[in-house]
Amino acid sequence: MSRFTERLPLLPGRPFLRYGATLGLCVFALWLRWALDGAFPPGYPFLTFFPAVILSSFLFGPRPGVLAAVVCGIFAWYVFIPPRMTFGTDGGTATAMLFYLGVVTVDIWLVHLMQAANARLNTAREEVRLLAEERGQLADRAELLFQEMQHRVGNNLQMVGAVLSLQMRTLSEPTARKALSDAAARLQVIGNIQRQLYRQDGQLVPLDRFLTEVSGKIMASSARPGITCHVDAEPGIILRPDSAVPVALIVSEAIANALEHGFTGRPAGRIALCVARRDAAIVLSVEDDGIGLPLSLDPASTESIGLRISRVLSQQLGAEMKLESRESGACMTLNLPLSRLAEPSQEGL
């Protein structure tokens, strides 16, 4: 019924049909009143004409309603108001016609107000629909631009890494080649991290999924199929954007060190990456079952570029990083303060 009323008045662009249907209703009301004339007591000349006027106004609009009121009024005046078959002009006839005029005027006006309100409602709905479509298009465009920006940043970083790799081929000095190789590799890692930091809808990726994707890319590029990396991270942990990248870099360095030093001469091994909330911190650990740390290594004073970068990043995060040997292999532990978690408003960035 609501869908039908939304289309009223009917036949808006076909006036001949509207007025023709209105006249048809008036003639039908005349026939029906004539057919039921014997069933009605005297004094009901307008009984079937009121519905004709209301239906004409409701279905076809106020102007056809006015036409129906005039035609039905003439029919009632001439045929059913005594003296019949004449246009009487006595006081009783004038009173009856004034009564009829007042009723049909109110009916037509009320129907018109209802249709005007219905038209405003339809216009408001259409505006809301168009606004929703526009917002949807803007959201899709913003998402597309955001994804493009993410890819461009990642591509630019990886391009710089590729340039460094090309530059490294022109060098013969081992130390310089090693420095450029490490820098290129780290830029490649940062590029991958930038690509994985956000989901397609612009929201930050939870840490468990983020680290799984980052570690998976590192392992895939290591060409060490016998070594596996298992991620056991508590779900729902989301870091701030300025914290997620340094954490991912520290994890990447730890995995790279395990691959390069912990499994020297070993075709197989296992790396375990764990993340969990404990007390007032987020504890992140990277543990391997390799050969362990050299006895002469002092993590606090080592000149290793990777460890120095990890220490600097952990200090910037306000975190505590430990590197220690275990019964089998080595373990890097990072205690990250809860202040590094994303605020609810940041999760939808």
Side-chain angles (χ1 to χ4, degrees):
M1 183 62 182
S2 60
R3 292 184 179 179
F4 175 74
T5 57
E6 289 175 1
R7 296 196 296 268
L8 296 176
L10 301 178
L11 307 173
R14 309 177 73 175
F16 291 105
L17 287 179
R18 292 166 60 193
Y19 289 110
T22 298
L23 292 176
L25 283 173
C26 294
V27 172
F28 177 75
L30 173 63
W31 171 83
L32 184 61
R33 179 63 182 83
W34 184 271
L36 299 176
D37 188 52
F40 295 145
Y44 295 92
F46 310 111
L47 194 61
T48 60
F49 296 115
F50 286 138
V53 175
I54 294 173
L55 280 176
S56 298
S57 302
F58 182 75
L59 295 177
F60 307 117
R63 292 184 179 180
V66 171
L67 175 64
V70 172
V71 173
C72 289
I74 292 173
F75 286 162
W77 185 7
Y78 183 77
V79 179
F80 300 106
I81 296 178
R84 295 191 174 194
M85 303 305 174
T86 60
F87 291 107
T89 56
D90 56 18
T93 300
T95 301
M97 293 306 297
L98 287 175
F99 169 77
Y100 170 79
L101 179 62
V103 172
V104 295
T105 300
V106 171
D107 290 341
I108 294 172
W109 181 247
L110 290 177
V111 172
H112 172 67
L113 290 179
M114 182 198 71
Q115 291 185 342
N118 190 51
R120 290 194 296 271
L121 179 61
N122 290 338
T123 301
R125 287 177 178 173
E126 183 65 17
E127 291 176 352
V128 170
R129 185 186 66 81
L130 293 176
L131 181 60
E133 289 182 358
E134 183 178 355
R135 291 182 63 182
Q137 293 173 357
L138 290 175
D140 292 341
R141 189 178 305 169
E143 179 180 335
L144 181 63
L145 291 175
F146 181 80
Q147 294 178 23
E148 180 66 19
M149 181 192 70
Q150 289 294 103
H151 283 293
R152 285 183 181 273
V153 171
N155 289 341
N156 290 340
L157 290 172
Q158 292 183 334
M159 185 179 297
V160 174
V163 171
L164 291 178
S165 297
L166 290 175
Q167 184 67 34
M168 179 188 66
R169 297 178 183 178
T170 64
L171 300 177
S172 57
E173 205 280 320
T175 303
R177 287 176 60 86
K178 181 66 166 57
L180 285 182
S181 176
D182 291 344
R186 289 186 177 93
L187 282 173
Q188 294 285 346
V189 170
I190 295 174
N192 286 330
I193 291 172
Q194 186 67 31
R195 289 174 179 271
Q196 305 300 331
L197 183 58
Y198 293 94
R199 297 189 309 199
Q200 290 186 350
D201 57 4
Q203 293 185 343
L204 293 169
V205 174
L207 194 58
D208 54 344
R209 175 182 161 187
F210 179 50
L211 292 180
T212 298
E213 293 175 348
V214 171
S215 61
K217 287 186 176 294
I218 296 174
M219 297 303 297
S221 62
S222 68
R224 304 287 295 273
I227 301 175
T228 61
C229 181
H230 176 71
V231 178
D232 181 14
E234 180 179 328
I237 298 177
I238 301 178
L239 297 181
R240 288 158 35 186
D242 60 347
S243 302
V245 173
V247 168
L249 285 173
I250 294 172
V251 170
S252 300
E253 288 290 344
I255 295 176
N257 286 334
L259 291 170
E260 183 178 357
H261 305 292
F263 297 105
T264 302
R266 294 192 178 191
R270 184 175 185 274
I271 300 173
L273 199 166
C274 299
V275 181
R277 299 175 192 248
R278 295 179 186 171
D279 299 329
I282 300 168
V283 180
L284 188 152
S285 64
V286 179
E287 185 174 1
D288 65 75
D289 59 356
I291 61 176
L293 299 176
L295 296 177
S296 59
L297 177 67
D298 182 6
S301 59
T302 180
E303 295 300 318
S304 168
I305 296 296
L307 288 179
R308 289 170 62 186
I309 291 175
S310 295
R311 285 203 305 269
V312 170
L313 291 175
S314 64
Q315 291 172 1
Q316 291 178 352
L317 293 170
E320 179 185 1
M321 189 185 79
K322 295 181 180 179
L323 185 63
E324 54 190 352
S325 291
R326 296 289 175 86
E327 293 182 2
S328 175
C331 179
M332 186 282 298
T333 303
L334 184 70
N335 292 310
L336 196 66
L338 294 179
S339 59
R340 291 294 168 177
L341 290 175
E343 298 293 335
S345 59
Q346 289 181 302
E347 295 180 13
L349 288 178

